[in-house]
Amino acid sequence: MGDEPVRRRLRSIATWCGLLSPAVGLGAVLLATLFAPWFSWTENALSDLGHPSRATAPLFNGGMWLAGLLALAFVAGLWIDAAGRVRRAALIVLAASFLALTGVGAYPVTTELHFPVSVAFFVSLTYGLWLYGSADALAGAPERGVATIWLGVANVTMWVLYATLEPFAGVAVPEAVGALVLAAWAVPTALRLRRSSPG
């Protein structure tokens, strides 16, 4: 009982981290594109905005790094009340995804580690959402669970369509879809966390 005020405080911090992470990540991308007239959504990858030779590198790379750290703090807050092996497995996988997101910022596109951390982010995000949605369904919230699972499906489907159809040279569009999928999960999940912590 004595720990409850501390738990409420941690949930409150985690809520803000869950809301700020997608805002920081998407904001960094959009701002960087505004300052990069050379950038093309069909010819470039988002990571090109973080190329060390570009003026947008600090904004993009710093934004990815900070968004990943905020998302990790969000997952830590969700862990406080995580019940069941599936929920905890989901949070572990999501934590791996967000750790990879910090790596996207820490290792620019010119480094050898950039490609593996980028792939790790999108792949583990998908599996993390599938597991988290499954945990929701098992916990008695099947509609929310199915919606979360379908967010993961949307992420992987976009990449499959891109790889199959090759509609353009750049991968910025499927990357942006992945970022929006993350936001679509994080924001409502953070708000539910807030509602579970009155006061």
Side-chain angles (χ1 to χ4, degrees):
M1 293 296 292
D3 291 339
E4 188 55 33
V6 175
R7 293 164 71 91
R8 282 203 303 269
R9 180 61 176 164
L10 291 175
R11 291 190 198 100
S12 178
I13 293 172
T15 295
W16 283 107
C17 289
L19 295 173
L20 287 172
S21 176
V24 168
L26 291 171
V29 169
L30 293 177
L31 281 175
T33 59
L34 291 177
F35 290 108
W38 52 268
F39 179 80
S40 167
W41 284 95
T42 57
E43 299 297 324
N44 292 103
L46 293 181
S47 295
D48 292 338
L49 295 164
H51 193 288
S53 67
R54 300 294 187 180
T56 52
L59 174 59
F60 178 83
N61 294 332
M64 296 305 101
W65 181 79
L66 181 56
L69 285 182
L70 290 167
L72 283 169
F74 178 47
V75 167
L78 292 173
W79 186 272
I80 295 172
D81 300 307
R85 287 176 294 180
V86 178
R87 178 79 70 195
R88 293 194 172 191
L91 293 175
I92 290 171
V93 175
L94 286 170
S97 178
F98 303 145
L99 183 62
L101 179 57
T102 67
V104 172
Y107 303 104
V109 67
T110 53
T111 65
E112 292 183 0
L113 285 177
H114 182 80
F115 180 75
V117 295
S118 297
V119 173
F121 167 64
F122 289 106
V123 172
S124 54
L125 175 63
T126 296
Y127 282 103
L129 291 175
W130 287 345
L131 284 167
Y132 201 90
S134 298
D136 277 345
L138 291 171
E143 293 182 357
R144 187 169 73 225
V146 169
T148 300
I149 290 170
W150 272 98
L151 285 175
V153 171
N155 184 43
V156 72
T157 299
M158 187 66 194
W159 282 105
V160 170
L161 288 174
Y162 171 81
T164 302
L165 302 177
E166 297 183 355
F168 27 74
V171 294
V173 171
E175 288 176 335
V177 169
L180 290 171
V181 162
L182 170 56
W185 169 77
V187 171
T189 303
L191 293 175
R192 282 194 300 275
L193 180 62
R194 174 61 180 170
R195 288 194 294 271
S196 72
S197 305

